[in-house]
Structure formats: structure tokens, C-alpha cells
Amino acid sequence: MRITAAATSPMLMRLADERATGALLRDQGTLYLVEGRVVHAESPAAPGIDVLLTAGGALPPQGWQEALSLAGTRNEVGRQLIDSGRVTAGELEVCHIGALFDAAFFVLGPASGPTRFRYGVAHWLGRVRPVEAEAVERETRRRRALLDSVWPCPELDTSPVVARPPAPGQTVTGRQDALLRLADGVRTPTAIAWALGRPSFHTLIEVRRLAAAGLVEPPRTPGQALPMLPAPAREDHDEPDVALLRRVRDALEATL
């Protein structure tokens, strides 16, 4: 069994070794497995593949609904999208793997409730490109480390985002500006991600960057000191979107 001390979910690794098929249910969502490999992930903390496809303009909302109506009951929505010409296979694969890793980050986070597995359960999207369970584990750990390398304040991930005015001469990117416009002191990073149609993890990264730059108010309790900012990790040089696409491209090329 490929369980190490660093495993975020020993049960997932056991199911991978068993080549199990079904749904792994945890507090923050569900991982779907086929023969031990992860084929999809869902979490209320992460916008789904439908949101990412339609919000990004790759697919009109009516096109998604049509595919869901025609192929949802036979678990072939992904195949229907490709066959109808709504999206290309490559577009679907890139968006799918982005949604999968985004949701898996939350599913494999710290859990207080039980972890259950329902054998034989399939997801309505169908197979797009399965991912090895070990790769999902590894990417989840990498993302946790990346967040803390940007700004070690996990309370930012679940607290309402409060914007601060920029200092004289301080500028922000277009993506950061769109995020800050929604930082009304009520929306959390996850709510902002849903509103923008962006992956939640990328939004968490951006919020921590903005906090490090003094553009987001860090949540504090009385007497709590601000976290010390560590040296940036090498992987932080790229925007999360670019870094993810490069890793997706390399993974796809390696399996062709």
C-alpha cells in the first residue's frame, strides 16, 4: 500500500491500490474513482467545471444545459460536449483537470467528519482524463505549501475579504482589480471565486498575495501579531493559471 506519513488521505491511497470504483465522500466534497484513479472531484468550496466552462466563455450556458439534459442520465456529458462540437477534447481536458485539482484541494483538506466510500457510484460527466490518486495527493500538498509560502495566514482563506486602499504609486493587475472590486467585507475568497467564475485555489493565492502587499486586511484577534512573510517559493514566479496549464500540458504530453 502506497501510504506515507505525508498522505492527506490514506483511505484514498488504499482505494487506489484496490483499483476501486465509486465515490469517496468527505466533509468538503467528493472524489470519484474509476479503477483506482480519480476521474472527477466536486466541492461546495470550488466552482464546478460547468461554471469554469461557461464563465470563461468557452461554452454558452444553454450549450451546457443541453449536454446535461441529453447525456446526464447515462454519465456521458463530457462526450456529448465533444461530439456536439461545443468544445474540443483539449479544451474539455484542460478545464476538467483544473476543476478536478481545485475541488480535490478542498476535499482532501482537514476533515472533522467521517470519510466514506460508496462502491459503484459514477459521475454524470463521465471519463475525461483520469488522474492517478498519488498525483492528486502530491498536488494537494504542493498547493498547501504554496499558500503558506505566499503569506502564512490560513484565516484569510475563510474570512470575508476586506480591501485596503493602495499606497501612492501602488498598482494591481487586472485580475487583482476584479477581485478587489468584490472584496466588500462580506464575501469570502470562495464566494469571490464563484462570482468571478475562477478556480477557488487561484483566488486564495491572489488574496494572500494582496494581503502580503497590504491591499487586503488580514483577519486578527486582539493581541495577535501579523505573520512573517517567508521567502517566495520558486514555483510562485508564475501566475497560478499559467503554472497549472504548463503542468497540465506536460502531463498530457507524457501520456500521449
Side-chain angles (χ1 to χ4, degrees):
M1 188 181 300
R2 295 167 295 170
I3 294 178
T4 68
T8 58
S9 175
M11 186 174 183
L12 172 61
M13 302 311 298
R14 176 171 60 79
L15 292 166
D17 286 332
E18 294 176 2
R19 298 179 60 83
T21 294
L24 178 67
L25 292 84
R26 302 190 83 208
D27 279 356
Q28 285 297 315
T30 305
L31 297 182
Y32 293 85
L33 281 67
V34 173
E35 296 180 352
R37 294 193 292 175
V38 181
V39 295
H40 199 60
E42 287 183 339
S43 171
I49 188 172
D50 56 332
V51 176
L52 300 183
L53 279 172
T54 57
L59 179 69
Q62 63 268 26
W64 175 264
Q65 289 300 326
E66 179 183 290
L68 194 62
S69 298
L70 291 173
T73 57
R74 62 177 191 271
N75 303 325
E76 293 183 353
V77 171
R79 174 49 53 191
Q80 176 66 31
L81 287 170
I82 295 171
D83 291 347
S84 65
R86 295 286 190 180
V87 298
T88 67
E91 287 172 332
L92 184 63
E93 286 181 0
V94 169
C95 194
H96 167 257
I97 202 167
L100 187 155
F101 280 126
D102 193 40
F105 173 78
F106 297 98
V107 176
L108 296 178
S112 58
T115 298
R116 305 179 303 279
F117 188 73
R118 294 180 179 173
Y119 285 91
V121 175
H123 192 269
W124 44 259
L125 183 67
R127 279 198 224 192
V128 177
R129 182 170 287 271
V131 180
E132 296 293 336
E134 194 170 6
V136 175
E137 280 264 359
R138 185 170 59 249
E139 177 65 6
T140 297
R141 294 194 300 270
R142 188 197 71 85
R143 292 185 177 207
R144 288 184 185 176
L146 179 56
L147 277 175
D148 283 341
S149 76
V150 173
W151 184 249
C153 183
E155 293 81 9
L156 278 166
D157 301 343
T158 55
S159 300
V161 183
V162 181
R164 281 177 168 175
Q170 191 175 22
T171 61
V172 297
T173 66
R175 290 178 62 84
Q176 290 173 333
D177 182 63
L179 190 158
L180 288 170
R181 289 176 183 273
L182 295 178
D184 55 5
V186 176
R187 293 184 177 95
T188 63
T190 293
I192 291 175
W194 277 90
L196 293 174
R198 297 178 186 172
S200 284
F201 177 76
H202 295 180
T203 305
L204 297 184
I205 284 285
E206 211 63 81
V207 168
R208 292 211 193 189
R209 283 178 174 163
L210 289 166
L215 292 167
V216 162
E217 185 76 34
R220 284 187 291 169
T221 57
Q224 180 183 13
L226 288 173
M228 295 296 292
L229 182 63
R234 183 180 61 83
E235 291 176 302
D236 192 37
H237 291 172
D238 288 327
E239 288 291 323
D241 297 277
V242 176
L244 174 62
L245 289 176
R246 286 177 178 168
R247 290 194 300 278
V248 170
R249 178 200 61 194
D250 294 342
L252 292 178
E253 289 177 350
T255 56
L256 291 178

Short mmCIF file of all heavy atoms in Angstrom, two decimals, residues 73-127:
data_model
loop_
_atom_site.label_atom_id
_atom_site.label_comp_id
_atom_site.label_asym_id
_atom_site.label_seq_id
_atom_site.Cartn_x
_atom_site.Cartn_y
_atom_site.Cartn_z
N THR A 73 -28.08 11.44 -17.71
CA THR A 73 -28.56 10.19 -17.11
C THR A 73 -27.69 8.99 -17.49
O THR A 73 -27.70 7.98 -16.78
CB THR A 73 -30.01 9.91 -17.53
OG1 THR A 73 -30.09 9.88 -18.97
CG2 THR A 73 -30.94 10.98 -16.98
N ARG A 74 -26.95 9.08 -18.58
CA ARG A 74 -26.07 7.97 -18.95
C ARG A 74 -24.60 8.27 -18.66
O ARG A 74 -23.71 7.57 -19.13
CB ARG A 74 -26.26 7.60 -20.42
CG ARG A 74 -25.94 8.67 -21.43
CD ARG A 74 -26.11 8.11 -22.85
NE ARG A 74 -25.59 9.00 -23.87
CZ ARG A 74 -26.27 9.96 -24.47
NH1 ARG A 74 -27.55 10.15 -24.14
NH2 ARG A 74 -25.71 10.73 -25.39
N ASN A 75 -24.35 9.35 -17.89
CA ASN A 75 -23.00 9.70 -17.43
C ASN A 75 -22.02 9.91 -18.59
O ASN A 75 -20.89 9.44 -18.57
CB ASN A 75 -22.45 8.61 -16.50
CG ASN A 75 -23.34 8.38 -15.30
OD1 ASN A 75 -23.95 9.31 -14.77
ND2 ASN A 75 -23.45 7.13 -14.85
N GLU A 76 -22.48 10.68 -19.60
CA GLU A 76 -21.62 10.94 -20.76
C GLU A 76 -21.69 12.41 -21.19
O GLU A 76 -21.64 12.73 -22.37
CB GLU A 76 -22.02 10.04 -21.93
CG GLU A 76 -21.74 8.57 -21.70
CD GLU A 76 -22.08 7.72 -22.92
OE1 GLU A 76 -22.66 8.27 -23.89
OE2 GLU A 76 -21.78 6.52 -22.89
N VAL A 77 -21.80 13.32 -20.22
CA VAL A 77 -21.91 14.73 -20.55
C VAL A 77 -20.65 15.22 -21.27
O VAL A 77 -20.72 15.99 -22.24
CB VAL A 77 -22.18 15.57 -19.29
CG1 VAL A 77 -22.09 17.06 -19.60
CG2 VAL A 77 -23.55 15.24 -18.72
N GLY A 78 -19.49 14.80 -20.81
CA GLY A 78 -18.25 15.20 -21.45
C GLY A 78 -18.19 14.77 -22.91
O GLY A 78 -17.85 15.56 -23.80
N ARG A 79 -18.55 13.53 -23.18
CA ARG A 79 -18.56 13.01 -24.55
C ARG A 79 -19.57 13.76 -25.41
O ARG A 79 -19.30 14.06 -26.58
CB ARG A 79 -18.89 11.51 -24.52
CG ARG A 79 -19.08 10.85 -25.87
CD ARG A 79 -17.97 11.15 -26.85
NE ARG A 79 -16.65 10.85 -26.30
CZ ARG A 79 -15.50 11.22 -26.88
NH1 ARG A 79 -15.53 11.91 -28.00
NH2 ARG A 79 -14.36 10.90 -26.33
N GLN A 80 -20.72 14.10 -24.84
CA GLN A 80 -21.74 14.85 -25.58
C GLN A 80 -21.24 16.23 -25.98
O GLN A 80 -21.48 16.70 -27.09
CB GLN A 80 -23.00 14.97 -24.72
CG GLN A 80 -24.12 15.80 -25.34
CD GLN A 80 -24.70 15.18 -26.59
OE1 GLN A 80 -24.73 13.95 -26.72
NE2 GLN A 80 -25.16 16.00 -27.52
N LEU A 81 -20.52 16.89 -25.07
CA LEU A 81 -19.98 18.22 -25.37
C LEU A 81 -19.02 18.16 -26.55
O LEU A 81 -19.02 19.04 -27.41
CB LEU A 81 -19.28 18.79 -24.14
CG LEU A 81 -20.17 19.25 -22.99
CD1 LEU A 81 -19.32 19.55 -21.76
CD2 LEU A 81 -20.99 20.48 -23.38
N ILE A 82 -18.18 17.13 -26.58
CA ILE A 82 -17.20 16.99 -27.65
C ILE A 82 -17.88 16.61 -28.96
O ILE A 82 -17.64 17.22 -30.01
CB ILE A 82 -16.13 15.95 -27.27
CG1 ILE A 82 -15.33 16.44 -26.07
CG2 ILE A 82 -15.20 15.67 -28.46
CD1 ILE A 82 -14.40 15.40 -25.48
N ASP A 83 -18.75 15.62 -28.91
CA ASP A 83 -19.42 15.14 -30.13
C ASP A 83 -20.30 16.21 -30.77
O ASP A 83 -20.46 16.24 -32.00
CB ASP A 83 -20.26 13.90 -29.83
CG ASP A 83 -19.41 12.68 -29.50
OD1 ASP A 83 -18.18 12.73 -29.76
OD2 ASP A 83 -19.97 11.69 -28.99
N SER A 84 -20.86 17.10 -29.95
CA SER A 84 -21.72 18.15 -30.49
C SER A 84 -20.93 19.33 -31.04
O SER A 84 -21.51 20.23 -31.65
CB SER A 84 -22.67 18.66 -29.39
OG SER A 84 -21.94 19.31 -28.36
N GLY A 85 -19.60 19.32 -30.81
CA GLY A 85 -18.77 20.41 -31.28
C GLY A 85 -18.78 21.62 -30.38
O GLY A 85 -18.23 22.68 -30.74
N ARG A 86 -19.39 21.51 -29.20
CA ARG A 86 -19.45 22.65 -28.29
C ARG A 86 -18.06 23.03 -27.78
O ARG A 86 -17.74 24.21 -27.63
CB ARG A 86 -20.35 22.32 -27.10
CG ARG A 86 -21.82 22.11 -27.45
CD ARG A 86 -22.49 23.42 -27.75
NE ARG A 86 -23.95 23.29 -27.86
CZ ARG A 86 -24.76 24.29 -28.12
NH1 ARG A 86 -24.28 25.51 -28.29
NH2 ARG A 86 -26.07 24.09 -28.21
N VAL A 87 -17.25 22.02 -27.46
CA VAL A 87 -15.87 22.25 -27.04
C VAL A 87 -15.00 21.19 -27.69
O VAL A 87 -15.49 20.12 -28.10
CB VAL A 87 -15.71 22.18 -25.50
CG1 VAL A 87 -16.53 23.25 -24.81
CG2 VAL A 87 -16.10 20.80 -24.97
N THR A 88 -13.71 21.46 -27.79
CA THR A 88 -12.78 20.45 -28.29
C THR A 88 -12.37 19.54 -27.15
O THR A 88 -12.54 19.87 -25.96
CB THR A 88 -11.53 21.10 -28.89
OG1 THR A 88 -10.79 21.75 -27.83
CG2 THR A 88 -11.90 22.14 -29.95
N ALA A 89 -11.81 18.40 -27.49
CA ALA A 89 -11.35 17.46 -26.46
C ALA A 89 -10.28 18.11 -25.60
O ALA A 89 -10.26 17.94 -24.37
CB ALA A 89 -10.81 16.19 -27.12
N GLY A 90 -9.39 18.88 -26.23
CA GLY A 90 -8.33 19.55 -25.47
C GLY A 90 -8.88 20.58 -24.51
O GLY A 90 -8.41 20.68 -23.36
N GLU A 91 -9.85 21.38 -24.94
CA GLU A 91 -10.45 22.39 -24.07
C GLU A 91 -11.11 21.73 -22.87
O GLU A 91 -10.98 22.20 -21.73
CB GLU A 91 -11.49 23.20 -24.85
CG GLU A 91 -10.92 24.18 -25.84
CD GLU A 91 -11.99 24.82 -26.72
OE1 GLU A 91 -13.04 24.17 -26.94
OE2 GLU A 91 -11.77 25.94 -27.17
N LEU A 92 -11.83 20.64 -23.13
CA LEU A 92 -12.51 19.96 -22.03
C LEU A 92 -11.50 19.36 -21.05
O LEU A 92 -11.68 19.46 -19.84
CB LEU A 92 -13.43 18.86 -22.57
CG LEU A 92 -14.27 18.14 -21.52
CD1 LEU A 92 -15.24 19.09 -20.84
CD2 LEU A 92 -15.03 16.96 -22.15
N GLU A 93 -10.43 18.77 -21.56
CA GLU A 93 -9.44 18.15 -20.69
C GLU A 93 -8.76 19.18 -19.78
O GLU A 93 -8.58 18.94 -18.58
CB GLU A 93 -8.39 17.41 -21.52
CG GLU A 93 -8.91 16.12 -22.12
CD GLU A 93 -7.85 15.40 -22.93
OE1 GLU A 93 -6.71 15.92 -23.01
OE2 GLU A 93 -8.15 14.33 -23.48
N VAL A 94 -8.37 20.31 -20.35
CA VAL A 94 -7.69 21.34 -19.55
C VAL A 94 -8.63 21.89 -18.48
O VAL A 94 -8.25 22.04 -17.31
CB VAL A 94 -7.17 22.47 -20.45
CG1 VAL A 94 -6.70 23.65 -19.61
CG2 VAL A 94 -6.02 21.96 -21.32
N CYS A 95 -9.89 22.18 -18.86
CA CYS A 95 -10.84 22.72 -17.89
C CYS A 95 -11.18 21.67 -16.83
O CYS A 95 -11.28 21.98 -15.64
CB CYS A 95 -12.10 23.17 -18.61
SG CYS A 95 -13.18 24.20 -17.58
N HIS A 96 -11.32 20.42 -17.26
CA HIS A 96 -11.66 19.34 -16.33
C HIS A 96 -10.57 19.13 -15.29
O HIS A 96 -10.84 19.03 -14.10
CB HIS A 96 -11.90 18.04 -17.11
CG HIS A 96 -11.94 16.82 -16.25
ND1 HIS A 96 -10.90 15.93 -16.16
CD2 HIS A 96 -12.91 16.35 -15.42
CE1 HIS A 96 -11.22 14.98 -15.32
NE2 HIS A 96 -12.43 15.20 -14.86
N ILE A 97 -9.32 19.08 -15.75
CA ILE A 97 -8.25 18.81 -14.78
C ILE A 97 -8.06 19.99 -13.84
O ILE A 97 -7.72 19.82 -12.66
CB ILE A 97 -6.94 18.44 -15.51
CG1 ILE A 97 -6.02 17.65 -14.55
CG2 ILE A 97 -6.20 19.66 -16.04
CD1 ILE A 97 -4.87 16.98 -15.25
N GLY A 98 -8.32 21.21 -14.34
CA GLY A 98 -8.27 22.36 -13.45
C GLY A 98 -9.34 22.28 -12.37
O GLY A 98 -9.08 22.55 -11.19
N ALA A 99 -10.57 21.91 -12.78
CA ALA A 99 -11.66 21.78 -11.82
C ALA A 99 -11.40 20.64 -10.85
O ALA A 99 -11.71 20.73 -9.65
CB ALA A 99 -12.98 21.57 -12.55
N LEU A 100 -10.83 19.55 -11.35
CA LEU A 100 -10.55 18.38 -10.51
C LEU A 100 -9.56 18.72 -9.40
O LEU A 100 -9.82 18.46 -8.21
CB LEU A 100 -10.01 17.24 -11.38
CG LEU A 100 -9.81 15.86 -10.73
CD1 LEU A 100 -9.89 14.77 -11.80
CD2 LEU A 100 -8.49 15.75 -9.98
N PHE A 101 -8.41 19.32 -9.76
CA PHE A 101 -7.41 19.64 -8.76
C PHE A 101 -7.92 20.72 -7.80
O PHE A 101 -7.58 20.71 -6.61
CB PHE A 101 -6.11 20.10 -9.42
CG PHE A 101 -5.25 18.96 -9.92
CD1 PHE A 101 -4.83 18.93 -11.23
CD2 PHE A 101 -4.87 17.94 -9.07
CE1 PHE A 101 -4.03 17.89 -11.69
CE2 PHE A 101 -4.08 16.89 -9.52
CZ PHE A 101 -3.66 16.87 -10.84
N ASP A 102 -8.72 21.65 -8.33
CA ASP A 102 -9.25 22.72 -7.48
C ASP A 102 -10.15 22.14 -6.40
O ASP A 102 -10.00 22.43 -5.21
CB ASP A 102 -10.01 23.71 -8.34
CG ASP A 102 -10.32 25.01 -7.61
OD1 ASP A 102 -9.44 25.50 -6.86
OD2 ASP A 102 -11.43 25.55 -7.78
N ALA A 103 -11.11 21.30 -6.80
CA ALA A 103 -12.02 20.70 -5.83
C ALA A 103 -11.30 19.73 -4.90
O ALA A 103 -11.57 19.69 -3.69
CB ALA A 103 -13.17 19.99 -6.54
N ALA A 104 -10.36 18.95 -5.45
CA ALA A 104 -9.64 17.97 -4.63
C ALA A 104 -8.85 18.63 -3.51
O ALA A 104 -8.71 18.06 -2.42
CB ALA A 104 -8.71 17.14 -5.51
N PHE A 105 -8.35 19.84 -3.75
CA PHE A 105 -7.63 20.56 -2.70
C PHE A 105 -8.48 20.72 -1.45
O PHE A 105 -8.00 20.59 -0.33
CB PHE A 105 -7.19 21.93 -3.23
CG PHE A 105 -6.58 22.82 -2.19
CD1 PHE A 105 -5.27 22.63 -1.78
CD2 PHE A 105 -7.32 23.84 -1.60
CE1 PHE A 105 -4.70 23.44 -0.80
CE2 PHE A 105 -6.76 24.66 -0.63
CZ PHE A 105 -5.45 24.46 -0.23
N PHE A 106 -9.77 21.00 -1.65
CA PHE A 106 -10.66 21.18 -0.51
C PHE A 106 -11.16 19.84 0.04
O PHE A 106 -11.26 19.66 1.25
CB PHE A 106 -11.85 22.07 -0.92
CG PHE A 106 -11.44 23.45 -1.32
CD1 PHE A 106 -11.28 23.78 -2.65
CD2 PHE A 106 -11.18 24.41 -0.35
CE1 PHE A 106 -10.88 25.06 -3.03
CE2 PHE A 106 -10.78 25.70 -0.71
CZ PHE A 106 -10.63 26.01 -2.06
N VAL A 107 -11.46 18.91 -0.86
CA VAL A 107 -11.93 17.59 -0.41
C VAL A 107 -10.89 16.94 0.50
O VAL A 107 -11.23 16.32 1.51
CB VAL A 107 -12.23 16.68 -1.61
CG1 VAL A 107 -12.62 15.28 -1.13
CG2 VAL A 107 -13.35 17.26 -2.48
N LEU A 108 -9.62 17.08 0.16
CA LEU A 108 -8.55 16.43 0.92
C LEU A 108 -8.00 17.31 2.04
O LEU A 108 -6.97 17.01 2.62
CB LEU A 108 -7.42 16.02 -0.02
CG LEU A 108 -7.80 14.97 -1.06
CD1 LEU A 108 -6.62 14.66 -1.98
CD2 LEU A 108 -8.30 13.69 -0.39
N GLY A 109 -8.69 18.40 2.33
CA GLY A 109 -8.28 19.23 3.45
C GLY A 109 -8.64 18.59 4.78
O GLY A 109 -9.25 17.51 4.83
N PRO A 110 -8.26 19.23 5.89
CA PRO A 110 -8.58 18.68 7.21
C PRO A 110 -10.08 18.45 7.35
O PRO A 110 -10.89 19.31 7.00
CB PRO A 110 -8.09 19.78 8.17
CG PRO A 110 -7.04 20.51 7.41
CD PRO A 110 -7.49 20.49 5.98
N ALA A 111 -10.45 17.28 7.84
CA ALA A 111 -11.86 16.91 7.97
C ALA A 111 -12.18 16.57 9.42
O ALA A 111 -11.36 16.00 10.13
CB ALA A 111 -12.19 15.72 7.06
N SER A 112 -13.39 16.94 9.83
CA SER A 112 -13.82 16.60 11.19
C SER A 112 -14.83 15.46 11.19
O SER A 112 -15.03 14.81 12.20
CB SER A 112 -14.45 17.84 11.85
OG SER A 112 -15.55 18.32 11.09
N GLY A 113 -15.48 15.24 10.06
CA GLY A 113 -16.48 14.19 9.97
C GLY A 113 -15.91 12.90 9.40
O GLY A 113 -14.73 12.81 9.09
N PRO A 114 -16.75 11.90 9.23
CA PRO A 114 -16.29 10.60 8.73
C PRO A 114 -15.97 10.64 7.24
O PRO A 114 -16.49 11.47 6.49
CB PRO A 114 -17.48 9.68 9.00
CG PRO A 114 -18.67 10.59 8.97
CD PRO A 114 -18.20 11.90 9.54
N THR A 115 -15.10 9.74 6.81
CA THR A 115 -14.81 9.54 5.40
C THR A 115 -15.48 8.24 4.98
O THR A 115 -15.30 7.21 5.62
CB THR A 115 -13.28 9.45 5.16
OG1 THR A 115 -12.69 10.70 5.55
CG2 THR A 115 -12.98 9.19 3.69
N ARG A 116 -16.25 8.30 3.90
CA ARG A 116 -16.99 7.12 3.46
C ARG A 116 -16.70 6.86 1.98
O ARG A 116 -16.36 7.78 1.24
CB ARG A 116 -18.50 7.32 3.67
CG ARG A 116 -18.88 7.68 5.09
CD ARG A 116 -20.38 7.90 5.23
NE ARG A 116 -20.89 8.93 4.35
CZ ARG A 116 -20.82 10.23 4.60
NH1 ARG A 116 -20.23 10.66 5.71
NH2 ARG A 116 -21.32 11.10 3.75
N PHE A 117 -16.89 5.62 1.58
CA PHE A 117 -16.74 5.27 0.16
C PHE A 117 -17.95 4.46 -0.28
O PHE A 117 -18.32 3.48 0.36
CB PHE A 117 -15.46 4.46 -0.08
CG PHE A 117 -15.18 4.25 -1.55
CD1 PHE A 117 -14.73 5.29 -2.33
CD2 PHE A 117 -15.38 3.01 -2.14
CE1 PHE A 117 -14.47 5.12 -3.69
CE2 PHE A 117 -15.12 2.82 -3.49
CZ PHE A 117 -14.67 3.88 -4.27
N ARG A 118 -18.55 4.90 -1.38
CA ARG A 118 -19.70 4.20 -1.94
C ARG A 118 -19.27 3.54 -3.25
O ARG A 118 -19.00 4.22 -4.24
CB ARG A 118 -20.85 5.18 -2.19
CG ARG A 118 -21.42 5.77 -0.90
CD ARG A 118 -22.56 6.74 -1.18
NE ARG A 118 -23.10 7.28 0.06
CZ ARG A 118 -24.01 8.25 0.10
NH1 ARG A 118 -24.49 8.77 -1.04
NH2 ARG A 118 -24.45 8.70 1.27
N TYR A 119 -19.21 2.24 -3.21
CA TYR A 119 -18.75 1.49 -4.38
C TYR A 119 -19.76 1.59 -5.52
O TYR A 119 -20.97 1.58 -5.32
CB TYR A 119 -18.53 0.02 -4.01
CG TYR A 119 -17.28 -0.20 -3.19
CD1 TYR A 119 -17.33 -0.17 -1.79
CD2 TYR A 119 -16.06 -0.43 -3.81
CE1 TYR A 119 -16.18 -0.37 -1.03
CE2 TYR A 119 -14.91 -0.64 -3.06
CZ TYR A 119 -14.97 -0.60 -1.67
OH TYR A 119 -13.83 -0.79 -0.92
N GLY A 120 -19.22 1.70 -6.73
CA GLY A 120 -20.05 1.65 -7.93
C GLY A 120 -20.69 2.95 -8.36
O GLY A 120 -21.31 3.02 -9.42
N VAL A 121 -20.53 4.02 -7.56
CA VAL A 121 -21.14 5.30 -7.91
C VAL A 121 -20.34 5.96 -9.03
O VAL A 121 -19.11 6.04 -8.97
CB VAL A 121 -21.21 6.23 -6.69
CG1 VAL A 121 -21.74 7.61 -7.08
CG2 VAL A 121 -22.08 5.61 -5.60
N ALA A 122 -21.04 6.46 -10.06
CA ALA A 122 -20.38 7.12 -11.18
C ALA A 122 -20.82 8.58 -11.26
O ALA A 122 -21.91 8.94 -10.79
CB ALA A 122 -20.71 6.41 -12.50
N HIS A 123 -19.98 9.41 -11.86
CA HIS A 123 -20.30 10.82 -12.02
C HIS A 123 -20.91 11.06 -13.39
O HIS A 123 -20.54 10.42 -14.38
CB HIS A 123 -19.03 11.67 -11.86
CG HIS A 123 -19.31 13.14 -11.73
ND1 HIS A 123 -19.36 13.98 -12.82
CD2 HIS A 123 -19.57 13.90 -10.64
CE1 HIS A 123 -19.63 15.21 -12.41
NE2 HIS A 123 -19.77 15.20 -11.10
N TRP A 124 -21.83 12.03 -13.47
CA TRP A 124 -22.55 12.28 -14.71
C TRP A 124 -21.66 12.81 -15.83
O TRP A 124 -22.01 12.73 -17.01
CB TRP A 124 -23.71 13.23 -14.49
CG TRP A 124 -23.40 14.43 -13.63
CD1 TRP A 124 -23.71 14.58 -12.32
CD2 TRP A 124 -22.70 15.62 -14.01
NE1 TRP A 124 -23.26 15.80 -11.85
CE2 TRP A 124 -22.64 16.45 -12.88
CE3 TRP A 124 -22.13 16.06 -15.20
CZ2 TRP A 124 -22.02 17.70 -12.88
CZ3 TRP A 124 -21.50 17.31 -15.23
CH2 TRP A 124 -21.45 18.11 -14.08
N LEU A 125 -20.50 13.37 -15.50
CA LEU A 125 -19.63 13.91 -16.56
C LEU A 125 -19.02 12.81 -17.41
O LEU A 125 -18.80 12.98 -18.60
CB LEU A 125 -18.51 14.76 -15.94
CG LEU A 125 -17.58 15.45 -16.93
CD1 LEU A 125 -18.33 16.54 -17.72
CD2 LEU A 125 -16.37 16.06 -16.22
N GLY A 126 -18.77 11.65 -16.78
CA GLY A 126 -18.09 10.58 -17.50
C GLY A 126 -16.58 10.76 -17.43
O GLY A 126 -16.06 11.73 -16.87
N ARG A 127 -15.86 9.82 -18.02
CA ARG A 127 -14.40 9.91 -18.03
C ARG A 127 -13.94 10.98 -19.02
O ARG A 127 -14.40 11.03 -20.14
CB ARG A 127 -13.79 8.57 -18.43
CG ARG A 127 -13.71 7.58 -17.29
CD ARG A 127 -12.73 6.49 -17.64
NE ARG A 127 -13.26 5.19 -17.29
CZ ARG A 127 -12.53 4.07 -17.27
NH1 ARG A 127 -11.27 4.10 -17.63
NH2 ARG A 127 -13.08 2.94 -16.92
#
